[in-house]
Amino acid sequence: MLHCDIAPGHLFFDPKSGHLTGVIDFGDIAIGNPARDFIYIYEDFGESILRLVPTLLRRNAPEWMSEIRKWYLLEAISGN
């Protein structure tokens, strides 16, 4: 299951620990490739922050970054 709208306004963090404490707005939920969920992190924060995602998720970084970029470009050309 994908959130499909992971963006700054939909994530809550504990200011002291920096840990994620909540996620809201599941109106766009779908089934699909997990890399799709991180396109707005790429768009909103850039590649330097996005590079933290594979490490946090214990994924193969080069392959994962390529997948996220692919989904970002597909979203951009589809106009959604």
Side-chain angles (χ1 to χ4, degrees):
M1 296 301 289
L2 306 178
H3 184 276
C4 290
D5 198 9
I6 293 179
H10 298 156
L11 304 173
F12 296 99
F13 293 90
D14 179 308
K16 290 183 181 178
S17 69
H19 291 118
L20 180 68
T21 59
V23 179
I24 62 168
D25 189 0
F26 290 87
D28 296 320
I29 201 164
I31 295 172
N33 186 308
R36 163 68 177 81
D37 252 348
F38 298 95
I39 62 174
Y40 297 119
I41 300 296
Y42 185 44
E43 183 176 81
D44 292 337
F45 298 106
E47 195 163 324
S48 61
I49 296 297
L50 185 64
R51 287 188 180 281
L52 299 173
V53 171
T55 303
L56 295 171
L57 298 176
R58 295 187 173 107
R59 300 278 184 154
N60 177 307
E63 181 181 308
W64 191 247
M65 293 294 290
S66 177
E67 282 290 306
I68 294 170
R69 281 190 203 103
K70 176 186 82 175
W71 285 102
Y72 172 77
L73 293 172
L74 286 170
E75 181 83 3
I77 62 173
S78 73
N80 290 331

